Amino acid sequence: MRYELLVFDWDGTLIDSAGAVVFCIQAACRDLGLPVPDEARASHVIGLGLRDALSYAIPSLPPADYGRVAECYRKHFLARDPDIALFPGVEAMLTALRERGHILAVATGKSRAGLGRALENTGLRPLFAASRCADECAPKPAPDMLRELMEEFGVEERRTLMIGDTVHDLRMAASAGVPAVGVSYGAHPRSDLAALDPLACVDDIAELTRWLAQNA
């Protein structure tokens, strides 16, 4: 076993939610009469904390209005949350990794409440030993989530692996001194991920499962 601690992003990496996130960002903007970001701009903010996400998606939005946009977004997302599915093969992949002896964790831009709902909806809670959310510590791409998880389990950087679908995941890993794998089936284009030189960039869960079985 090369990597003891495997840390997964959530949205766009384990669950097929990137499209729903983009839709809900755009819907919230329409509801409130704000400029509606295009798909590329809305996709880029997936994985970021609330403040960073809104300052990029809606540059003209005053910080005092972040709360009302977040509440409107949450309304739209909650209506879709129970129906958002895991990518096919995710549960089997995670179960095999857990049985092999890896410690599995989540580092996400979701809130603690949002991740809690997602873990319950998908039934994956028992597979993860720990998680960090954007409302608990400095959000991506700051290294804090990974550093806290490594400290919690006493695992050093070279024995930790980050898996994610955004440049925010890969930059967080680089800042923490942790190797990373990019997945191109989520929010960010393969070219953007590859430019950050991850160990690998995979195109679907089947390829990720094979790569982890052979290299993790």
Side-chain angles (χ1 to χ4, degrees):
M1 188 190 299
R2 186 172 301 167
Y3 303 108
E4 183 178 359
L5 174 59
L6 304 181
V7 183
F8 291 87
D9 170 60
W10 186 261
D11 288 301
T13 299
L14 298 178
I15 194 165
D16 191 7
S17 56
V21 172
V22 169
F23 174 88
C24 294
I25 291 171
Q26 294 174 326
C29 290
R30 290 190 191 97
D31 287 354
L32 298 173
L34 298 170
V36 178
D38 62 22
E39 184 173 348
R41 181 168 286 272
S43 293
H44 181 78
V45 307
I46 294 173
L48 292 176
L50 174 64
R51 178 172 294 274
D52 291 337
L54 291 178
S55 68
Y56 183 89
I58 321 167
S60 61
L61 184 69
D65 289 336
Y66 286 177
R68 69 189 186 102
V69 178
E71 186 58 34
C72 192
Y73 167 85
R74 190 174 296 114
K75 177 191 70 174
H76 284 286
F77 195 84
L78 285 174
R80 289 160 177 77
D81 200 10
D83 299 321
I84 300 174
L86 296 169
F87 288 107
V90 161
E91 186 171 4
M93 176 187 71
L94 295 174
T95 299
L97 292 168
R98 178 73 178 267
E99 291 176 350
R100 186 181 175 187
H102 295 284
I103 301 168
L104 306 184
V106 173
T108 178
K110 298 178 86 66
S111 66
R112 171 55 60 190
L115 179 61
R117 285 192 303 271
L119 290 171
E120 290 302 317
N121 289 341
T122 60
L124 294 187
R125 185 184 295 277
L127 295 177
F128 293 105
S131 57
R132 290 297 185 277
C133 299
D135 57 351
E136 297 174 327
C137 59
K140 303 170 187 177
D144 299 49
M145 292 185 187
L146 286 175
R147 287 178 175 168
E148 288 188 12
L149 289 166
M150 289 188 289
E151 182 178 1
E152 180 173 344
F153 295 105
V155 179
E156 57 189 333
E157 290 87 342
R158 67 182 182 86
R159 297 276 289 163
T160 302
L161 182 68
M162 179 68 206
I163 302 102
D165 70 311
T166 71
V167 297
H168 317 308
D169 298 310
L170 302 188
R171 287 172 178 154
M172 174 178 65
S175 295
V178 168
V181 170
V183 302
S184 65
Y185 51 80
H188 288 186
R190 182 187 182 93
S191 58
D192 291 357
L193 301 173
L196 295 174
D197 199 27
L199 295 179
C201 191
V202 302
D203 296 327
D204 54 38
I205 290 294
E207 187 179 358
L208 177 60
T209 300
R210 289 193 298 272
W211 192 95
L212 292 173
Q214 295 167 3
N215 299 282

